[in-house]
Amino acid sequence: MRDQAEKLRKKLSNGALHSAKTIAVVSGKGGVGKSNFTINTALSLAKKGKKVLVFDFDIGMGNINVLIGADSKHTISNFIEKNIPFNEIIYTGPYQISYISAGNGFSKVLELDKISIQRLLIELEELQYLYDYILFDMGAGATNANLQIMLSVDDIFVITTPEPTSITDAYSMMKYIVLQESNNHLYLICNRSEREKEGIATLERLQLAMKKFLNKNVQILGVLPEDSHVRKAVIGQTPFYTEFPRSLITTKLEKIVQTYLGDEHVSRQSSHTNSFIRRLRSLFER
Ligand SMILES: Nc1ncnc2c1ncn2[C@@H]1O[C@H](COP(=O)(O)OP(=O)(O)OP(=O)(O)O)[C@@H](O)[C@H]1O
Ligand SMILES: [Mg+2]
């Protein structure tokens, strides 16, 4: 396993391989639409020909499999508790996206032990060479593993709604990230906005506060409307992106993904590094 990783690393430095861009979808307050955003964004990327893996990292309370109406027998908890290898917990969803379920129905939050972390790092490193994008859907809980993934990814999508409680929690979350001196790029999305203007104003206020108080530039990706198609899609256990391709929410999501892909930083960043794994390893070994 280790030799394999070493070989891959060599290929990577020769430019013979590329490494996935890693993205964590986070919020301060829970229930703002992270999981729906993650799965539908993954589908949009896949439709553009990208190889995408969705990693449901809401361990013990995951719902990505529910949102796509799939039943996954093996989850990340099987990996942690029963030593099942990663290739048996990766499933294929619509548009050939891959996903790893977080499992649900646990009474306690699973914390990763040292051995599981080592195994996770080795598996994640290999996955990086197989995909263009790895999206982590982060739960509302702040376990150590959650925070470490969040601080290691290349990009963070912060979801808020126009509600003041959601905005202040999004700010606190970003403040935490910035104070950890982590170098990720922060992108803002306002979900469930009744009016586009209100959403933009929310994001601009957050952007300004980040600059003024933390001297951190964050980028606005866009606003998603309050749209009854989301609830309908959730109830029908199909993503809105595939079920309602002409809905306002799908159109706006498409725009957000285009904006992200067109961002200078995204296209400029070299994909011939695996800094994600390096960062993650150093955080876990701290
Ligand atoms: N744009 C929207 N328009 C209407 N309803 C929405 C929208 N986005 C989310 N919702 C509603 O909010 C619910 C919660 O969404 P979701 O599960 O994606 O949130 P979450 O942030 O992942 O929650 P958690 O923090 O618990 O993981 C959805 O089931 C849906 O009913
Ligand atoms: Mg969720």
Side-chain angles (χ1 to χ4, degrees):
M1 201 70 157
R2 231 167 256 276
D3 283 356
Q4 175 73 1
E6 192 50 50
K7 269 187 213 150
L8 289 169
R9 239 171 265 146
K10 244 203 188 120
K11 274 193 180 172
L12 184 67
S13 62
N14 293 339
L17 272 181
H18 81 289
S19 166
K21 190 174 265 296
T22 47
I23 302 171
V25 180
V26 311
S27 67
K29 195 170 177 288
V32 296
K34 290 181 294 297
S35 299
N36 277 280
F37 178 84
T38 306
I39 188 67
N40 289 288
T41 296
L43 291 170
S44 167
L45 287 167
K47 202 176 173 204
K48 293 169 187 54
K50 313 285 186 196
K51 289 195 74 184
V52 186
L53 170 73
V54 173
F55 196 151
D56 191 345
F57 218 76
D58 196 356
I59 298 176
M61 291 198 283
N63 51 17
I64 287 292
N65 58 323
V66 181
L67 292 178
I68 57 179
D71 201 14
S72 32
K73 188 161 145 253
H74 293 139
T75 68
I76 186 67
S77 60
N78 295 112
F79 170 81
I80 299 169
E81 297 191 315
K82 295 186 188 143
N83 260 332
I84 289 181
F86 249 43
N87 56 20
E88 286 179 38
I89 63 168
I90 297 180
Y91 289 83
T92 307
Y95 293 165
Q96 295 300 108
I97 61 163
S98 298
Y99 66 94
I100 296 176
S101 293
N104 48 41
F106 302 114
S107 52
K108 65 173 173 49
V109 179
L110 282 179
E111 275 284 0
L112 291 148
D113 57 273
K114 270 221 153 80
I115 296 168
S116 309
I117 286 170
Q118 283 310 324
R119 288 172 54 229
L120 183 70
L121 284 168
I122 292 169
E123 298 274 13
L124 275 176
E125 177 159 13
E126 300 218 342
L127 289 181
Q128 271 220 277
Y129 307 121
L130 295 177
Y131 295 95
D132 298 316
Y133 291 91
I134 300 179
L135 277 85
F136 293 92
D137 176 17
M138 307 307 282
T143 64
N144 282 334
N146 266 330
L147 297 174
Q148 283 151 347
I149 291 277
M150 195 172 76
L151 295 175
S152 303
V153 289
D154 302 310
D155 298 337
I156 300 187
F157 291 175
V158 180
I159 317 277
T160 184
T161 70
E163 292 181 1
T165 43
S166 167
I167 300 169
T168 51
D169 287 357
Y171 178 76
S172 306
M173 176 59 104
M174 289 192 285
K175 183 173 173 186
Y176 168 81
I177 295 166
V178 172
L179 294 183
Q180 297 297 309
E181 288 176 10
S182 132
N183 258 330
N184 1 48
H185 281 249
L186 297 174
Y187 292 93
L188 300 178
I189 295 115
C190 184
N191 186 28
R192 308 198 72 161
S193 188
E194 300 278 1
R195 285 172 303 276
E196 173 94 11
K197 250 189 167 170
E198 170 194 51
I200 290 289
T202 297
L203 296 176
E204 286 179 347
R205 239 178 298 138
L206 263 175
Q207 189 184 43
L208 194 67
M210 289 299 291
K211 184 70 195 166
K212 192 167 167 198
F213 302 116
L214 298 167
N215 195 28
K216 172 84 176 173
N217 289 315
V218 300
Q219 209 148 331
I220 292 176
L221 278 188
V223 176
L224 289 170
E226 173 73 28
D227 188 331
S228 57
H229 288 106
V230 180
R231 205 170 152 263
K232 276 185 205 140
V234 172
I235 290 172
Q237 289 191 256
T238 50
F240 62 74
Y241 190 83
T242 45
E243 188 69 6
F244 305 111
R246 271 173 292 278
S247 61
L248 185 60
I249 186 113
T250 299
T251 313
K252 294 284 182 183
L253 182 80
E254 203 66 282
K255 227 175 121 192
I256 284 178
V257 173
Q258 297 285 10
T259 304
Y260 172 68
L261 291 177
D263 181 24
E264 206 197 332
H265 146 74
V266 176
S267 46
R268 181 165 25 90
Q269 195 186 45
S270 161
S271 54
H272 297 299
T273 63
N274 58 352
S275 44
F276 166 63
I277 295 294
R278 263 190 283 117
R279 285 188 295 260
L280 198 55
R281 190 163 277 135
S282 79
L283 280 174
F284 275 133
E285 282 166 2
R286 228 186 233 172

